[in-house]
Amino acid sequence: MSSTDLLNFGLYIDGRWCDSSDGKTFAVYEPATGNVLGHVASATTADVDRAVKAARAAFDSGPWPHTPPAERTQILQAIANLIDEHTSEFAELETRNLGAPLRKTLYVDVPWAAEHMRVFGDLARTHPYEPLPWTDMPTVSWNFVWRDPIGVCGQIVPWNYPLLMTIWKIAPALAAGNTVVLKPASYTPLTALYLVKLIDEAGLLPKGVLNIVPGPGGVIGSALAEHPGVDKVSFTGSTDTGREIMRLASNTIKRVTLELGGKSPSLVMPDADLELATDGVLFGVFFNGGQSCEAGTRCLVPESLHSEFIERLVARARSLRLGDPLDLATDQGPLVSEAQARTVEEYIALGKAEGARLVTGGKRANVPGFEKAPFIEPTIFTDVRNDMRLAQEEIFGPVLSVIPYRTVTDAIELANASHYGLGAAVWSRDIQGAIEVAKRLRTGTIWINDHHLVLPHAPFGGYKQSGIGREHGLHGLMAYTETKHIHVDLMQKRSGKLWWDALLPDVE
Ligand code: NAD
């Protein structure tokens, strides 16, 4: 990653790179070293306005919404191919900017981003026509549903899976024929910008179809959420920010998709394979350093297995390797920022004050060669009550709360006792029983004997305060369309006369 123009980026508006209107930039850091990785133009509200106007023109009078679906498919497949061809650059850049281990970015995040783009390429070709039942009431007609793109989509993404989140936003929007103004997170904007650079160099999209405006969320994200030229806002981030976005979007009744926070339970059933469940529960919580919305942060364990399972969890957690995120052997890198590490430390202190028992971790990890990096040890608390703040609030770091339960019914009640409802995992040998438990959990995704797998065809999103709407697959594509009913009167003039006669029976 030696090329400097790879790391310094402007705004991308109407098919051109440009400076922000006030010339300001912000620095982007590498959490493992504290070094500056690059500088990025910091958009102003005037820049947001320009970007929305460009996206508006590209939607209202440009070719994109009317491009034949098969052609859109080819373009999205070409973007997927670009990601594949540049896998190692994307993975290294993501790891350096986020701190996530290269093993994850290289083998999961980047290939997964290409795969999600490819699936939406396929879905773009899905004919947006839905026949309705034949009717002769009150006249013979042919009725069908046509799906239109919504228009200009303002898309705001968080810092925790920067490339994947970008793809999850732009792929369905572009597949359905919308135009986009994207705001990446300020900590981690580089892979989204690099993707736009590759798309621009390959000349894949008409100008104005994809615009990117990095900048401070409270200013740029808000400007997008309330801009009258934006038809839909799609936001992934915290529940508090989601609430604010919904409020701002309400002025112009924008379509809104919100993918928000979580406090997902991992339910270990009495018959679970404990070896499998130990690895699975730890993978559920510590993957990406605990910085995942769907992280399994509450582990519900039968009282009878509690001590044995804790022993297993602690032994395995202590074997995780913290180190240089660019080393393929590393399991957990530093957190994204010093600020995030401090938030996690505050929650660890809170957990102790609330009476939970710390059984492993709980402090900064000393990683030789990376003394200033924000590493936090994989941390496990037991004797946690589900009503403690430790078990109710999103920590977004490597902290697991273990909560004992008596009966499976109690476990389900505890799992549902949260204002979040994003995901849950059930660990059991009895698949039929696990499916019955899954049906009773109030969350958008339930993994049985697995965690984290967000499949490109499977709807993903939250119940309760974890969000509104679903991303991925056909559900995700539909969320970027307006539903239009087209009625064709097959009797032509006669139906109008029938209606008129019915309304005015006494008129000759
Ligand atoms: P955040 O809410 O602080 O920021 C998310 C994005 O919104 C960033 O781009 C930020 O700049 C922008 N933003 C901040 N304030 C804004 C405002 N007032 N108006 C408009 N935009 C604003 O979240 P974060 O810390 O970046 O990410 C972590 C959160 O994201 C966690 O709560 C996590 O659970 C959630 N998340 C959810 C999902 C999901 O699919 N449900 C996926 C990943 C992350």
Side-chain angles (χ1 to χ4, degrees), residues 156-161 165 168 183-186 215-218 221-222 225 235-239 241 244-245 248 259-262 292-294 394 396 422 460 466 471:
I156 303 167
V157 293
W159 49 260
N160 61 339
Y161 290 85
M165 295 290 152
W168 289 4
K183 193 203 94 60
S186 300
S222 312
F235 168 78
T236 299
S238 62
T239 296
T241 309
E244 172 67 1
I245 285 188
L248 293 170
E259 294 285 357
L260 308 177
S292 301
C293 52
E294 74 286 358
E394 195 177 40
F396 235 55
L422 190 57
F460 180 73
S466 285
E471 291 189 315

Side-chain angles (χ1 to χ4, degrees), residues 34-84:
N35 295 337
V36 172
L37 265 179
H39 290 92
V40 172
S42 184
T44 62
T45 51
D47 297 319
V48 171
D49 197 46
R50 270 195 312 130
V52 171
K53 284 193 175 120
R56 190 77 266 158
F59 186 79
D60 293 339
S61 44
W64 188 248
H66 313 290
T67 299
E71 222 174 283
R72 284 210 291 267
T73 297
Q74 281 179 355
I75 293 170
L76 266 62
Q77 304 295 13
I79 296 175
N81 292 342
L82 278 179
I83 298 171
D84 279 342

Side-chain angles (χ1 to χ4, degrees), residues 441-479:
L441 294 173
R442 304 286 298 159
T443 67
T445 300
I446 288 109
W447 291 277
I448 295 176
N449 296 328
D450 208 340
H451 208 118
H452 290 299
L453 212 58
V454 177
L455 295 173
H457 284 289
F460 180 73
Y463 281 37
K464 302 188 260 182
Q465 294 187 32
S466 285
I468 295 180
R470 294 293 180 271
E471 291 189 315
H472 313 315
L474 210 49
H475 292 263
L477 186 72
M478 295 297 113

Side-chain angles (χ1 to χ4, degrees), residues 79-80 82-84 86-87 89-95 97-98 104-105 108-117 157-171 182 184-185 188-196 198-199:
I79 296 175
L82 278 179
I83 298 171
D84 279 342
H86 296 269
T87 298
E89 290 105 300
F90 273 116
E92 187 185 331
L93 192 53
E94 196 81 309
T95 284
N97 195 182
L98 176 63
K104 181 182 89 78
T105 56
V108 181
D109 297 355
V110 181
W112 213 227
E115 180 60 11
H116 275 254
M117 182 54 93
V157 293
W159 49 260
N160 61 339
Y161 290 85
L163 179 66
L164 256 184
M165 295 290 152
T166 297
I167 297 298
W168 289 4
K169 294 293 175 218
I170 69 172
L182 176 84
T188 58
L190 295 181
T191 43
L193 287 157
Y194 184 46
L195 176 69
V196 173
L198 294 177
I199 295 172

